[in-house]
Amino acid sequence: MVAVVAAVTPAVPLGYRQLGTQVAGHTFEASNAAAVGLLQDGRVFKPLGKPECGLREIQFYESLAAATSTIAAAAGDAGKAENAADNDLALLAALAEHVPRYYGQRKLVVNQREHTFLQLEDLTHGMAKPCVMDVKIGKRTWDPLSSPHKRAIEQQKYVMCKQNLGLCLPGFQVYQQEQPCGKTILIRHGRDYGKSLNVEGFHQALALFFNVQPAHANVPQLLREVLRQLHGIHSWFKRQRLLHFYASSLLICYDFDRLSNPSSQQNGYHHEPPVTPAIKPPDQWIRVRCIDFAHIFPAADAQPDENYMFGLQSLIDIVESMLQR
Ligand SMILES: Nc1ncnc2c1ncn2[C@@H]1O[C@H](COP(=O)(O)OP(=O)(O)OP(=O)(O)O)[C@@H](O)[C@H]1O
Ligand SMILES: [Mg+2]
Protein backbone atom coordinates (compact mmCIF):
# COMPACT_ATOMS: atom_id res chain seq x y z
CA MET A 1 0.00 0.00 0.00
CA VAL A 2 1.23 3.53 -0.79
CA ALA A 3 2.08 5.74 2.22
CA VAL A 4 -0.91 7.92 3.08
CA VAL A 5 0.80 11.02 4.49
CA ALA A 6 4.01 12.80 3.62
CA ALA A 7 7.01 11.99 5.78
CA VAL A 8 6.71 15.11 7.93
CA THR A 9 6.13 14.67 11.63
CA PRO A 10 4.75 17.86 13.16
CA ALA A 11 4.58 18.25 16.93
CA VAL A 12 0.85 18.05 17.64
CA PRO A 13 -1.09 17.76 20.92
CA LEU A 14 -1.65 14.28 22.34
CA GLY A 15 -4.61 12.54 20.74
CA TYR A 16 -4.35 14.46 17.45
CA ARG A 17 -2.70 13.37 14.24
CA GLN A 18 -2.31 14.57 10.67
CA LEU A 19 -5.43 14.01 8.59
CA GLY A 20 -4.40 10.83 6.79
CA THR A 21 -7.09 11.16 4.13
CA GLN A 22 -6.24 14.76 3.19
CA VAL A 23 -5.94 14.85 -0.61
CA ALA A 24 -5.40 18.58 -1.32
CA GLY A 25 -4.92 21.97 0.31
CA HIS A 26 -2.34 23.28 2.74
CA THR A 27 -0.08 20.68 4.35
CA PHE A 28 2.71 20.43 6.88
CA GLU A 29 6.17 21.13 5.43
CA ALA A 30 9.47 19.68 6.62
CA SER A 31 11.30 22.97 6.01
CA ASN A 32 8.68 25.33 7.42
CA ALA A 33 7.38 24.79 10.95
CA ALA A 34 4.78 27.54 10.45
CA ALA A 35 3.04 25.63 7.62
CA VAL A 36 0.11 23.76 9.12
CA GLY A 37 -2.11 21.11 7.55
CA LEU A 38 -5.34 19.54 8.73
CA LEU A 39 -5.50 17.38 11.86
CA GLN A 40 -7.90 14.73 13.08
CA ASP A 41 -8.99 13.12 16.33
CA GLY A 42 -12.25 11.61 15.06
CA ARG A 43 -13.23 15.06 13.89
CA VAL A 44 -11.30 17.19 11.41
CA PHE A 45 -9.42 20.36 12.40
CA LYS A 46 -8.79 22.88 9.66
CA PRO A 47 -6.24 25.67 10.37
CA LEU A 48 -7.50 29.15 9.59
CA GLY A 49 -4.66 30.18 7.26
CA LYS A 50 -4.41 33.79 6.07
CA PRO A 51 -6.38 36.14 8.36
CA GLU A 52 -8.86 37.34 5.73
CA CYS A 53 -9.48 33.79 4.47
CA GLY A 54 -9.88 32.41 7.99
CA LEU A 55 -12.28 35.17 8.92
CA ARG A 56 -14.49 34.55 5.88
CA GLU A 57 -14.60 30.83 6.56
CA ILE A 58 -15.44 31.27 10.26
CA GLN A 59 -18.14 33.79 9.41
CA PHE A 60 -19.60 31.39 6.89
CA TYR A 61 -19.81 28.46 9.32
CA GLU A 62 -21.04 30.68 12.16
CA SER A 63 -23.76 32.22 9.99
CA LEU A 64 -24.94 28.76 8.96
CA ALA A 65 -25.03 27.64 12.60
CA ALA A 66 -26.98 30.77 13.60
CA ALA A 67 -29.44 30.34 10.72
CA THR A 68 -29.96 26.68 11.57
CA SER A 69 -30.79 27.36 15.21
CA THR A 70 -33.07 30.30 14.33
CA ILE A 71 -34.99 28.16 11.86
CA ALA A 72 -35.16 25.25 14.31
CA ALA A 73 -36.55 27.58 16.99
CA ALA A 74 -39.07 29.01 14.52
CA ALA A 75 -40.19 25.50 13.59
CA GLY A 76 -41.69 25.18 17.05
CA ASP A 77 -43.82 28.24 16.40
CA ALA A 78 -46.18 27.80 13.43
CA GLY A 79 -46.55 31.52 12.71
CA LYS A 80 -42.84 32.25 12.76
CA ALA A 81 -42.02 29.20 10.69
CA GLU A 82 -44.32 30.47 7.96
CA ASN A 83 -42.65 33.89 7.92
CA ALA A 84 -39.20 32.41 7.93
CA ALA A 85 -39.88 29.87 5.18
CA ASP A 86 -38.82 32.01 2.23
CA ASN A 87 -36.19 34.20 3.71
CA ASP A 88 -32.42 34.21 3.63
CA LEU A 89 -32.08 32.44 6.95
CA ALA A 90 -34.08 29.48 5.71
CA LEU A 91 -31.89 29.31 2.62
CA LEU A 92 -28.71 29.38 4.68
CA ALA A 93 -30.08 26.74 7.02
CA ALA A 94 -30.91 24.55 4.01
CA LEU A 95 -27.25 24.70 2.96
CA ALA A 96 -26.15 23.16 6.26
CA GLU A 97 -27.03 19.64 5.10
CA HIS A 98 -24.57 20.03 2.21
CA VAL A 99 -21.54 21.10 4.27
CA PRO A 100 -19.61 19.31 7.05
CA ARG A 101 -21.11 19.79 10.51
CA TYR A 102 -19.34 22.57 12.40
CA TYR A 103 -18.37 22.29 16.07
CA GLY A 104 -16.81 25.72 16.70
CA GLN A 105 -13.21 26.86 16.92
CA ARG A 106 -10.34 25.33 18.85
CA LYS A 107 -6.85 26.63 19.62
CA LEU A 108 -4.10 24.01 19.38
CA VAL A 109 -0.33 24.30 19.74
CA VAL A 110 1.41 22.82 16.71
CA ASN A 111 5.19 22.97 16.32
CA GLN A 112 5.34 25.19 19.44
CA ARG A 113 2.97 27.79 17.95
CA GLU A 114 -0.67 28.33 18.74
CA HIS A 115 -3.07 28.10 15.79
CA THR A 116 -6.83 28.45 15.55
CA PHE A 117 -8.65 25.57 13.91
CA LEU A 118 -12.20 25.02 12.72
CA GLN A 119 -13.59 21.86 14.21
CA LEU A 120 -15.52 19.95 11.53
CA GLU A 121 -17.25 16.65 10.94
CA ASP A 122 -14.89 14.13 9.33
CA LEU A 123 -16.61 13.35 6.05
CA THR A 124 -14.90 9.97 5.91
CA HIS A 125 -16.11 8.86 9.32
CA GLY A 126 -17.23 5.25 9.49
CA MET A 127 -15.43 4.44 6.23
CA ALA A 128 -13.00 1.51 6.39
CA LYS A 129 -11.27 2.34 3.09
CA PRO A 130 -12.12 5.95 2.30
CA CYS A 131 -11.89 7.04 -1.33
CA VAL A 132 -11.73 10.84 -1.37
CA MET A 133 -11.77 13.34 -4.23
CA ASP A 134 -11.46 17.13 -4.01
CA VAL A 135 -13.01 18.80 -7.07
CA LYS A 136 -12.63 22.56 -7.23
CA ILE A 137 -15.65 24.22 -8.82
CA GLY A 138 -15.81 27.11 -11.28
CA LYS A 139 -13.97 28.54 -14.30
CA ARG A 140 -13.17 31.54 -12.18
CA THR A 141 -11.21 30.62 -9.05
CA TRP A 142 -10.13 34.09 -7.97
CA ASP A 143 -12.27 36.21 -5.68
CA PRO A 144 -13.31 39.86 -6.17
CA LEU A 145 -10.50 41.14 -3.91
CA SER A 146 -7.70 39.31 -5.77
CA SER A 147 -4.81 41.31 -7.19
CA PRO A 148 -4.21 41.24 -10.97
CA HIS A 149 -1.19 39.02 -10.21
CA LYS A 150 -3.29 36.46 -8.30
CA ARG A 151 -5.92 36.47 -11.08
CA ALA A 152 -3.23 35.79 -13.67
CA ILE A 153 -1.83 32.90 -11.62
CA GLU A 154 -5.26 31.36 -11.11
CA GLN A 155 -6.13 31.69 -14.80
CA GLN A 156 -3.02 29.74 -15.78
CA LYS A 157 -3.69 26.80 -13.45
CA TYR A 158 -5.53 23.67 -14.61
CA VAL A 159 -6.34 25.52 -17.84
CA MET A 160 -7.74 22.68 -19.93
CA CYS A 161 -10.27 21.35 -17.44
CA LYS A 162 -11.10 24.65 -15.85
CA GLN A 163 -11.93 26.52 -19.01
CA ASN A 164 -13.87 23.71 -20.65
CA LEU A 165 -15.60 22.13 -17.69
CA GLY A 166 -15.38 24.73 -14.94
CA LEU A 167 -13.74 22.03 -12.82
CA CYS A 168 -10.29 21.13 -11.62
CA LEU A 169 -8.79 18.30 -9.67
CA PRO A 170 -6.32 19.25 -6.93
CA GLY A 171 -6.18 15.71 -5.55
CA PHE A 172 -7.78 12.36 -4.82
CA GLN A 173 -7.16 8.95 -3.34
CA VAL A 174 -8.83 5.73 -4.35
CA TYR A 175 -8.59 2.11 -3.32
CA GLN A 176 -8.51 -0.37 -6.17
CA GLN A 177 -8.32 -4.08 -6.68
CA GLU A 178 -5.21 -4.94 -8.65
CA GLN A 179 -5.79 -7.34 -11.54
CA PRO A 180 -5.37 -10.26 -11.78
CA CYS A 181 -4.11 -10.85 -8.19
CA GLY A 182 -7.08 -9.12 -6.51
CA LYS A 183 -4.85 -7.30 -3.98
CA THR A 184 -6.24 -3.98 -2.70
CA ILE A 185 -3.97 -0.99 -3.28
CA LEU A 186 -4.27 2.71 -2.50
CA ILE A 187 -3.65 5.17 -5.35
CA ARG A 188 -3.05 8.85 -4.58
CA HIS A 189 -2.81 11.71 -7.06
CA GLY A 190 -2.00 15.34 -6.28
CA ARG A 191 -2.22 18.64 -8.07
CA ASP A 192 0.46 17.88 -10.71
CA TYR A 193 -1.69 15.03 -11.99
CA GLY A 194 -4.76 17.29 -11.98
CA LYS A 195 -2.93 20.00 -13.91
CA SER A 196 -1.93 17.52 -16.62
CA LEU A 197 -5.53 16.58 -17.42
CA ASN A 198 -7.54 17.64 -20.46
CA VAL A 199 -11.28 16.99 -20.70
CA GLU A 200 -10.85 13.35 -21.73
CA GLY A 201 -8.28 12.86 -18.97
CA PHE A 202 -10.71 14.35 -16.47
CA HIS A 203 -13.37 11.82 -17.50
CA GLN A 204 -10.82 9.02 -17.09
CA ALA A 205 -9.78 10.29 -13.65
CA LEU A 206 -13.41 10.19 -12.53
CA ALA A 207 -13.83 6.67 -13.93
CA LEU A 208 -10.73 5.64 -11.98
CA PHE A 209 -12.03 7.30 -8.83
CA PHE A 210 -15.43 5.64 -9.05
CA ASN A 211 -13.89 2.21 -9.70
CA VAL A 212 -15.88 1.81 -12.89
CA GLN A 213 -13.44 -0.92 -14.08
CA PRO A 214 -13.25 -3.71 -13.07
CA ALA A 215 -16.96 -3.86 -12.35
CA HIS A 216 -18.07 -3.99 -8.71
CA ALA A 217 -21.67 -4.81 -7.84
CA ASN A 218 -22.40 -1.51 -6.11
CA VAL A 219 -20.85 0.99 -8.56
CA PRO A 220 -24.26 1.89 -10.09
CA GLN A 221 -25.61 2.52 -6.58
CA LEU A 222 -22.54 4.66 -5.84
CA LEU A 223 -23.02 6.75 -8.99
CA ARG A 224 -26.75 7.19 -8.39
CA GLU A 225 -26.21 8.30 -4.80
CA VAL A 226 -23.44 10.74 -5.81
CA LEU A 227 -25.81 12.14 -8.42
CA ARG A 228 -28.63 12.46 -5.91
CA GLN A 229 -26.41 14.45 -3.56
CA LEU A 230 -24.99 16.59 -6.41
CA HIS A 231 -28.55 17.39 -7.55
CA GLY A 232 -29.40 18.43 -3.98
CA ILE A 233 -26.52 20.89 -3.99
CA HIS A 234 -27.41 22.13 -7.48
CA SER A 235 -30.98 22.77 -6.48
CA TRP A 236 -29.76 24.86 -3.52
CA PHE A 237 -27.61 26.94 -5.87
CA LYS A 238 -30.54 27.46 -8.23
CA ARG A 239 -32.59 28.89 -5.38
CA GLN A 240 -29.99 31.16 -3.80
CA ARG A 241 -28.80 34.65 -4.71
CA LEU A 242 -26.97 35.34 -1.47
CA LEU A 243 -23.45 34.04 -1.92
CA HIS A 244 -20.82 33.44 -4.56
CA PHE A 245 -18.33 30.62 -3.95
CA TYR A 246 -14.87 31.14 -5.44
CA ALA A 247 -12.18 28.41 -5.29
CA SER A 248 -14.52 26.26 -3.25
CA SER A 249 -14.56 22.47 -3.63
CA LEU A 250 -16.84 19.50 -3.50
CA LEU A 251 -15.43 16.66 -1.45
CA ILE A 252 -16.67 13.28 -2.67
CA CYS A 253 -16.09 10.41 -0.23
CA TYR A 254 -17.11 6.79 -0.31
CA ASP A 255 -16.06 3.53 1.31
CA PHE A 256 -14.35 1.11 -1.06
CA ASP A 257 -15.34 -1.80 1.20
CA ARG A 258 -19.01 -1.20 0.36
CA LEU A 259 -18.55 -1.52 -3.39
CA SER A 260 -18.68 -5.27 -3.44
CA ASN A 261 -19.41 -6.11 0.18
CA PRO A 262 -22.41 -4.17 1.47
CA SER A 263 -22.62 -6.07 4.73
CA SER A 264 -19.07 -5.40 5.94
CA GLN A 265 -19.42 -3.94 9.42
CA GLN A 266 -16.37 -1.80 10.12
CA ASN A 267 -16.93 1.53 11.75
CA GLY A 268 -13.76 3.47 12.43
CA TYR A 269 -15.36 6.53 14.04
CA HIS A 270 -15.03 6.65 17.77
CA HIS A 271 -17.77 9.26 18.34
CA GLU A 272 -20.43 6.87 17.06
CA PRO A 273 -21.49 3.40 18.10
CA PRO A 274 -21.34 0.66 15.42
CA VAL A 275 -24.21 1.01 12.98
CA THR A 276 -26.84 -1.73 12.93
CA PRO A 277 -28.42 -3.31 10.99
CA ALA A 278 -25.47 -4.55 8.94
CA ILE A 279 -26.35 -2.85 5.64
CA LYS A 280 -25.75 0.88 5.83
CA PRO A 281 -27.96 3.18 3.75
CA PRO A 282 -26.01 4.71 0.84
CA ASP A 283 -25.77 8.15 2.43
CA GLN A 284 -23.75 6.54 5.27
CA TRP A 285 -20.98 5.31 3.01
CA ILE A 286 -21.21 7.96 0.28
CA ARG A 287 -20.94 11.65 1.12
CA VAL A 288 -20.72 14.64 -1.22
CA ARG A 289 -20.27 17.96 0.55
CA CYS A 290 -19.22 21.53 -0.20
CA ILE A 291 -15.95 22.46 1.53
CA ASP A 292 -13.42 25.29 1.60
CA PHE A 293 -15.17 28.61 2.10
CA ALA A 294 -12.11 30.87 2.37
CA HIS A 295 -13.22 32.82 -0.73
CA ILE A 296 -16.94 33.13 -0.27
CA PHE A 297 -18.49 36.53 -0.96
CA PRO A 298 -21.93 38.14 -0.88
CA ALA A 299 -23.50 37.84 -4.34
CA ALA A 300 -22.98 41.03 -6.32
CA ASP A 301 -26.36 42.54 -7.38
CA ALA A 302 -28.15 39.47 -6.00
CA GLN A 303 -27.13 37.43 -9.05
CA PRO A 304 -27.11 33.61 -8.98
CA ASP A 305 -23.69 31.94 -8.79
CA GLU A 306 -23.50 30.96 -12.48
CA ASN A 307 -19.78 30.27 -12.20
CA TYR A 308 -20.35 27.56 -9.60
CA MET A 309 -23.44 26.13 -11.27
CA PHE A 310 -21.63 25.75 -14.60
CA GLY A 311 -18.91 23.60 -13.01
CA LEU A 312 -21.37 21.63 -10.92
CA GLN A 313 -23.51 20.90 -14.00
CA SER A 314 -20.42 19.59 -15.84
CA LEU A 315 -19.71 17.25 -12.95
CA ILE A 316 -23.31 16.03 -12.96
CA ASP A 317 -23.11 15.45 -16.73
CA ILE A 318 -19.91 13.41 -16.39
CA VAL A 319 -21.27 11.21 -13.59
CA GLU A 320 -24.51 10.73 -15.55
CA SER A 321 -22.57 9.68 -18.63
CA MET A 322 -20.75 7.03 -16.58
CA LEU A 323 -24.04 5.63 -15.37
CA GLN A 324 -25.36 5.36 -18.92
CA ARG A 325 -22.36 3.40 -20.22
N1 LIG B 1 -14.65 17.99 6.80
C1 LIG B 1 -13.72 17.27 6.21
N2 LIG B 1 -13.71 15.92 6.30
C2 LIG B 1 -12.75 15.17 5.71
N3 LIG B 1 -11.73 15.70 5.00
C3 LIG B 1 -11.66 17.03 4.87
C4 LIG B 1 -12.66 17.88 5.45
N4 LIG B 1 -12.35 19.16 5.13
C5 LIG B 1 -11.22 19.11 4.40
N5 LIG B 1 -10.81 17.84 4.23
C6 LIG B 1 -9.58 17.40 3.52
O1 LIG B 1 -8.62 18.44 3.56
C7 LIG B 1 -8.34 18.92 2.24
C8 LIG B 1 -8.12 20.42 2.26
O2 LIG B 1 -9.30 21.08 2.78
P1 LIG B 1 -9.64 22.57 2.38
O3 LIG B 1 -9.81 22.67 0.93
O4 LIG B 1 -10.76 23.02 3.23
O5 LIG B 1 -8.32 23.31 2.85
P2 LIG B 1 -7.31 24.27 2.05
O6 LIG B 1 -7.48 24.12 0.59
O7 LIG B 1 -5.98 24.09 2.66
O8 LIG B 1 -7.93 25.58 2.49
P3 LIG B 1 -7.79 27.07 1.96
O9 LIG B 1 -7.95 27.03 0.48
O10 LIG B 1 -8.92 27.65 2.70
O11 LIG B 1 -6.48 27.53 2.43
C9 LIG B 1 -9.47 18.43 1.37
O12 LIG B 1 -9.06 18.24 0.04
C10 LIG B 1 -9.85 17.12 2.06
O13 LIG B 1 -8.97 16.08 1.66
MG1 LIG C 1 -9.02 23.61 -0.81
Side-chain angles (χ1 to χ4, degrees):
M1 193 161 86
V2 178
V4 172
V5 284
V8 180
T9 314
V12 299
L14 201 64
Y16 295 82
R17 58 193 186 282
Q18 282 178 261
L19 178 61
T21 56
Q22 182 176 343
V23 295
H26 295 81
T27 50
F28 293 97
E29 293 168 23
S31 57
N32 177 8
V36 180
L38 281 81
L39 296 174
Q40 67 181 114
D41 80 339
R43 289 180 180 162
V44 160
F45 295 83
K46 175 175 171 169
L48 286 186
K50 285 192 203 140
E52 67 278 16
C53 295
L55 194 63
R56 279 192 292 260
E57 194 152 35
I58 288 185
Q59 279 173 351
F60 171 77
Y61 276 110
E62 300 273 346
S63 65
L64 245 58
T68 308
S69 48
T70 307
I71 294 299
D77 176 331
K80 278 191 193 157
E82 211 168 89
N83 293 335
D86 280 336
N87 70 15
D88 296 353
L89 282 184
L91 256 179
L92 275 183
L95 180 59
E97 73 171 281
H98 303 296
V99 308
R101 280 193 290 274
Y102 169 65
Y103 301 100
Q105 302 170 38
R106 181 168 296 183
K107 291 197 190 308
L108 296 171
V109 175
V110 176
N111 292 332
Q112 286 78 49
R113 284 171 224 225
E114 187 179 77
H115 297 269
T116 305
F117 289 79
L118 296 171
Q119 205 178 155
L120 302 170
E121 168 193 13
D122 181 353
L123 295 174
T124 66
H125 72 76
M127 298 185 189
K129 290 197 181 68
C131 301
V132 181
M133 178 177 267
D134 184 318
V135 191
K136 204 176 263 201
I137 309 292
K139 282 186 189 182
R140 171 178 158 178
T141 50
W142 44 270
D143 72 43
L145 298 182
S146 302
S147 64
H149 178 65
K150 171 77 176 162
R151 290 178 192 200
I153 291 175
E154 284 297 318
Q155 272 159 1
Q156 283 155 22
K157 277 197 226 163
Y158 303 91
V159 181
M160 290 176 284
C161 292
K162 207 154 69 171
Q163 289 318 316
N164 291 302
L165 299 169
L167 298 171
C168 56
L169 204 48
F172 69 98
Q173 72 168 35
V174 61
Y175 286 86
Q176 280 233 312
Q177 223 152 44
E178 249 184 347
Q179 298 302 320
C181 65
K183 198 174 112 198
T184 301
I185 54 162
L186 176 63
I187 299 170
R188 287 176 64 89
H189 287 299
R191 63 172 85 89
D192 290 340
Y193 175 88
K195 285 177 184 169
S196 74
L197 298 174
N198 58 15
V199 171
E200 180 55 25
F202 193 93
H203 279 251
Q204 286 163 3
L206 255 72
L208 169 67
F209 177 69
F210 287 119
N211 267 291
V212 169
Q213 289 293 335
H216 294 267
N218 292 337
V219 168
Q221 183 188 30
L222 167 64
L223 296 175
R224 278 196 297 272
E225 177 61 19
V226 166
L227 274 176
R228 189 188 70 79
Q229 297 187 32
L230 289 175
H231 280 300
I233 295 168
H234 195 267
S235 101
W236 184 83
F237 272 89
K238 274 201 297 207
R239 282 187 287 146
Q240 72 96 16
R241 281 148 196 265
L242 299 173
L243 299 169
H244 284 191
F245 293 54
Y246 300 103
S248 183
S249 289
L250 287 170
L251 200 68
I252 308 175
C253 310
Y254 73 90
D255 189 352
F256 174 80
D257 271 5
R258 305 276 157 179
L259 281 187
S260 47
N261 181 11
S263 62
S264 123
Q265 245 303 244
Q266 299 197 31
N267 187 321
Y269 188 57
H270 67 247
H271 288 302
E272 281 187 352
V275 177
T276 49
I279 298 177
K280 286 183 179 179
D283 62 359
Q284 300 271 305
W285 64 274
I286 303 162
R287 295 190 191 101
V288 182
R289 300 286 187 277
C290 306
I291 62 159
D292 204 347
F293 308 109
H295 303 275
I296 194 160
F297 280 74
D301 304 324
Q303 290 302 305
D305 192 346
E306 298 290 356
N307 180 53
Y308 193 99
M309 284 194 288
F310 177 83
L312 178 51
Q313 187 60 53
S314 302
L315 187 57
I316 289 173
D317 292 345
I318 296 170
V319 180
E320 259 166 9
S321 74
M322 289 194 295
L323 201 52
Q324 279 154 16
R325 257 184 234 165

